[in-house]
Amino acid sequence: MASENLPQGSTRHCLLQPSSSLIFPMAFVLSLLTALVLVSYGPGGSLGCDLSQKHVLAGRKTLTLLDQMMRLSPHLCLQDRMDFAFPQEMVEGSQLQEAQAISVLHEILQQSFSVFNTMHSSAAWDTTLLKQLRTGLLQQLANLDDCWEQVIGEEDTALGRMGPTQAVKRYFQGIHVYLQEKEYSTCAWEIVRVAIRRSLSSSTSLQERLRMMDGDLSSH
């Protein structure tokens, strides 16, 4: 499980750690992230933490891809159902501060990429759709990277260690354990697909909230 989870650190650093389970070659990920960052920020410099509508649309496209990846009806996998206890109230709660929201959003995207960027995942899903999903998640991480680097350390406090980002991390750890215990069966992957879609749906809502926060700040 440890080899599939990405360690905490900057996005560029995390995605480039050597691992036999990673499918995207390191050189490819580096070049893709560099290109995406340049496209996202442009020659005028960093956009700060202003997430554009394009970023939100990328999140919605990811949800569409996950819908298209469905191989079995979830009703055929009822015996494999598992509640991974996604911390929805913590993630979507109105008390979530901007720094926490950015950290949670980054964790969901990073961990989702980790789940789907393995050899087991490559064997389970349509190659074209899976590649599009991985690229889309990398794009969203690259767009968020500058914002996230500004809030690193915010959750290093005692409150942070018990906060929503750590709850999301535990959620994905449960997914990795479940897949291993189910030996990466087709039904297990279907249950995981639905679960990760749920978490990414919450991340899309977070993106909308962050855009509204930035809009409120810029209007003053």
Side-chain angles (χ1 to χ4, degrees):
M1 181 178 70
S3 63
E4 295 184 0
N5 278 322
L6 292 174
Q8 190 171 4
S10 72
T11 300
R12 300 182 188 92
H13 177 73
C14 286
L15 294 178
L16 301 180
Q17 291 298 307
S19 173
S20 59
S21 65
L22 291 181
I23 303 305
F24 275 20
M26 291 190 292
F28 173 77
V29 174
L30 177 61
S31 62
L32 179 61
L33 281 175
T34 301
L36 289 171
V37 170
L38 290 175
V39 169
S40 299
Y41 299 150
S46 170
L47 294 179
C49 285
D50 180 17
L51 296 179
S52 67
Q53 181 65 19
K54 183 182 294 186
H55 188 88
V56 176
L57 291 176
R60 293 174 181 168
K61 182 179 179 181
T62 297
L63 297 179
T64 300
L65 283 169
L66 282 168
D67 289 338
Q68 294 172 345
M69 287 169 65
M70 183 177 68
R71 295 178 57 189
L72 291 175
S73 169
H75 296 293
L76 298 177
C77 300
L78 295 179
Q79 74 279 4
D80 292 299
R81 283 183 303 176
M82 172 65 71
D83 182 6
F84 300 107
F86 180 70
Q88 188 164 357
E89 291 186 3
M90 295 180 70
V91 170
E92 298 183 1
S94 59
Q95 295 183 349
L96 198 68
Q97 301 299 311
E98 184 174 15
Q100 289 179 311
I102 292 170
S103 180
V104 166
L105 176 56
H106 183 275
E107 189 70 25
I108 291 174
L109 292 171
Q110 179 176 275
Q111 293 286 352
S112 296
F113 179 83
S114 174
V115 170
F116 285 108
N117 196 42
T118 65
M119 291 182 293
H120 291 294
S121 179
S122 295
W125 302 108
D126 177 86
T127 302
T128 300
L129 292 175
L130 183 60
K131 183 177 180 180
Q132 292 177 11
L133 178 67
R134 290 168 175 168
T135 302
L137 290 170
L138 282 176
Q139 181 179 21
Q140 291 177 75
L141 280 165
N143 292 342
L144 185 66
D145 206 38
D146 189 71
C147 296
W148 184 69
E149 287 179 355
Q150 295 181 39
V151 302
I152 291 176
E154 290 284 339
E155 294 219 335
D156 286 341
T157 62
L159 177 61
R161 288 190 290 272
M162 297 182 293
T165 299
Q166 291 302 314
V168 168
K169 190 185 297 288
R170 289 192 295 271
Y171 169 77
F172 278 95
Q173 287 172 345
I175 287 177
H176 282 286
V177 170
Y178 170 80
L179 283 170
Q180 290 177 344
E181 291 179 345
K182 292 292 184 178
E183 298 181 343
Y184 303 93
S185 69
T186 301
C187 267
W189 273 115
E190 179 57 31
I191 297 299
V192 167
R193 181 193 66 82
V194 173
I196 291 185
R197 191 199 185 284
R198 178 185 180 189
S199 64
L200 287 171
S201 179
S202 290
S203 77
T204 301
S205 299
L206 268 182
Q207 292 168 32
E208 294 280 10
R209 284 184 55 193
L210 286 169
R211 290 190 72 242
M212 288 189 292
M213 290 178 186
D214 290 332
D216 290 341
L217 290 174
S218 58
S219 65
H220 293 304

